[in-house]
Structures are given as C-alpha cells and as structure tokens.
Amino acid sequence: MRFAALGDSFTEGVGDPVPGGLRGWAALLAEGVADGRRGVEFRNFAVSGAQSGDVRDRQAAAAAAFRPHLASVVVGVNDTLRRTFDLLLLARRLDEVCALLTGGGAVLLTVCLPDPGAVLGLPAPLGRPLARRQAAVNAVVHALSERYGAVHLHMADRAWVEDRSLWSPDRLHPAERGHRTVAAGFHRLLAARGLALGAAPGLDPRRPFPGRLDSWLRLVTAGTGWLARRSTDLLPQLLCLAGAELRHGACGTGALLDRRAEEALRRALAAVQPAAVQHSAAVQPAAVQHSAAVQPADARTAGARAAPSGPSAAPRVSMEG
C-alpha cells in the first residue's frame, strides 16, 4: 500500500522530533497501516509554511505521480494567517487537489482544525477574525470530505485546544502526544474500513514533555521567529481586523461581520458543491461520512471516540469567536 501525506508543518511533523529529523502523525499512522502480510510505502510531501496554493502547485502533482492508495490533505491554517486570505480561492484549490488524487484511486484523509487564535490564546478582538476564517475553512473541508468520500477526523473541539499536553511549547504545533492522538484517531477510522491492518499507534509519548525552562526557551526561540516572519504580513492586517471588531462592537453592528463571513462561505461552498446538493451548509454543513471527533481528555486510556453519525454529528460552523 502506498500512502502520501500532503500539507504543512502539521503533517511534516513539527513538534515530534526524532533522531535524524521529524516524524509526525502521518509517519506514525503509516506504521499501523501495514501488517506482516502487507507493507506500506510512505512519502511525506508536506512542507512547513505551505498554503493551499503550495499544495496544489507543488505537492499534488508529485503525490499523484506516486499513485497512492491513501492520501492525506491537511492544509489551510497558514492561509488564515495571511492578509491574502481568500476563501473562494482556497476552496477551488482544495477541490482540484482532491479531484486529482481521488481520480487516481486514492482514499482521502482530511482533518478540520481548531482556530489558531484559540490555540494561541489571543484576546477576542484579535481572535474572532481568525475564528471566523478557520470555521469557514473547516466548513469547506467538511463539504469536500463529503463530496469525495474522505476519511475525516474532527479536531476542532474545545477539548483539543485546552489539553496542554497535546501541544508543543510554541502553541503552534502538536507535541508528540498530539501527533500520536491524531494517528490513533485516523487508524481507528481506517481500520473500520479495512484499510489499516496493523497495530494502532500508542498514545503514550516515548519522550518526556519539556520542562518549564526548556518550554520557555523553545517558546522564545520559536515564537520570536514566527513573529518576525509574520510581522510584515499577518500582524498589520490582524490589527486592522481587530480595529474593525472593536468599532463594530461599539456601534452594535458586529453581526455585519458575521453576515459578510457567511456570504463568503456560501460562495466558496457553491464553487465546490454540485448544484443538486447545495443547501444551507454555509451555516451548518451536512454530516461528513466517516467523521469522528478526537477526544483528547480520554485519549490516555481509550483513544479517540467516534462521533455519532447523521446530521446531528456535524459541527456547527459558528461565525462567532
């Protein structure tokens, strides 16, 4: 079996260093896809900092040439952190990538993620614009997952954000336990479809979590570098967005920002959904087949639990922070 992983630092393995480089959830999952009778060839095309355009323009063709049986596509957070964020363009890019890979016979693996503002603990005026963006990206991912029959893992729950042991000191990437939790969640879903024959990845980290001093040093070094890279891109725009939040809040017109976000989402969903299935998914997307919620609080003992199927299982796409 061939397994290709596409995306950004989340899939590249940042936060899960091993001797000789990075590992990450996709490599951990690859170990559990094979068994004694069937091997797996794994290639990780993900690159730190990648946006949807990078996945479409650089990673997708190379991955398609690999002719994978499984292909994970997890990207979008870096798009939300840029002033050039364009939901419609992101949706079209992801649609092209999904069509290319499934056209070659691959089963897709997708994830919806928590908004970066919540992960970083930003104050509401700064966090709400990012929350809107990530909620919209997640809605697009849900729609594409349904359209292409993807194996979908739901990770946008608050429990994921609040479980500190899942996150690296930089608060931007999963720690080893976080990567293991993702891998175990996907393994369970793939096993239910007969696509994972080996043992599930263990949830307990093999390396101790960094101490307070080490965590502080990593936060300073990683955080400073990230801030420097984003200082001419995201931060000026984020301050403008925060200013708009405060102005509309003072004037009692905050709902206008929500309506604008909802309209942008409707346009994006219309671009990637067949006309026959377009509906009110801009507010509440249809349930995604094979979806499941990662429950970090219980991961130490039971692993990720499946979300119930049916319309009630779909997370509501909130335009509020």
Side-chain angles (χ1 to χ4, degrees):
M1 174 173 282
R2 293 181 296 276
F3 175 23
L6 295 77
D8 52 29
S9 57
F10 176 85
T11 300
E12 185 186 31
V14 174
D16 185 27
V18 294
L22 300 172
R23 181 179 50 188
W25 69 267
L28 288 165
L29 175 61
E31 296 173 2
V33 169
D35 66 359
R37 296 178 289 106
R38 182 187 71 182
V40 60
E41 185 177 358
F42 172 65
R43 293 188 187 179
N44 196 336
F45 298 91
V47 176
S48 181
Q51 300 178 56
S52 58
D54 300 309
V55 172
R56 183 196 62 180
D57 298 338
R58 297 182 178 89
Q59 300 179 25
F66 177 51
R67 298 186 63 80
H69 300 95
L70 299 176
S72 64
V73 180
V74 185
V75 70
V77 171
N78 286 315
D79 292 74
T80 69
L81 297 175
R82 300 298 195 276
R83 67 172 180 269
T84 55
F85 177 71
D86 185 328
L87 183 63
L88 178 59
L89 186 58
L90 177 144
R92 288 172 171 166
R93 288 167 173 169
L94 291 183
D95 194 14
E96 291 179 31
V97 173
C98 292
L100 176 65
L101 294 171
T102 57
V107 174
L108 290 179
L109 281 66
T110 61
V111 175
C112 60
L113 298 169
D115 75 88
V119 175
L120 293 170
L122 297 179
L126 294 172
R128 281 175 63 86
L130 294 182
R132 286 193 189 91
R133 290 182 174 187
Q134 190 60 47
V137 170
N138 286 344
V140 168
V141 170
H142 272 275
L144 289 172
S145 298
E146 183 179 23
R147 179 176 181 178
Y148 290 100
V151 176
H152 179 77
L153 196 64
H154 178 63
M155 293 172 46
D157 293 337
R158 190 71 188 178
W160 172 264
V161 176
E162 294 174 347
D163 190 338
R164 187 66 186 85
S165 69
L166 296 174
W167 293 96
S168 295
D170 63 11
R171 296 292 290 175
L172 299 172
H173 303 97
E176 180 188 354
R177 182 169 173 262
H179 282 285
R180 287 183 173 277
T181 302
V182 175
F186 266 127
H187 184 277
R188 180 177 46 77
L189 295 174
L190 288 170
R193 296 180 65 170
L195 297 175
L197 304 179
L203 292 167
D204 294 328
R206 304 296 173 83
R207 298 179 305 280
F209 194 79
R212 182 173 299 179
L213 177 59
D214 191 23
S215 296
W216 183 83
L217 290 174
R218 293 190 191 185
L219 178 61
V220 169
T221 55
T224 301
W226 182 85
L227 183 62
R229 291 191 297 271
R230 296 280 70 80
S231 61
T232 59
D233 187 357
L234 170 68
L235 293 183
Q237 190 208 22
L238 191 56
L239 292 175
C240 291
L241 293 173
E245 290 284 340
L246 293 171
R247 288 194 305 273
H248 281 279
C251 297
T253 57
L256 178 62
L257 297 175
D258 293 337
R259 288 196 295 272
R260 290 174 180 172
E262 289 172 1
E263 181 55 35
L265 179 53
R266 289 190 183 94
R267 291 195 298 270
L269 292 177
V272 300
Q273 290 182 326
V277 300
Q278 289 176 21
H279 44 62
S280 59
V283 177
Q284 185 168 345
V288 180
Q289 189 178 10
H290 312 303
S291 67
V294 172
Q295 301 291 341
D298 298 329
R300 293 184 182 87
T301 56
R305 294 196 301 268
S309 61
S312 62
R316 192 176 194 280
V317 178
S318 172
M319 294 305 165
E320 315 236 338

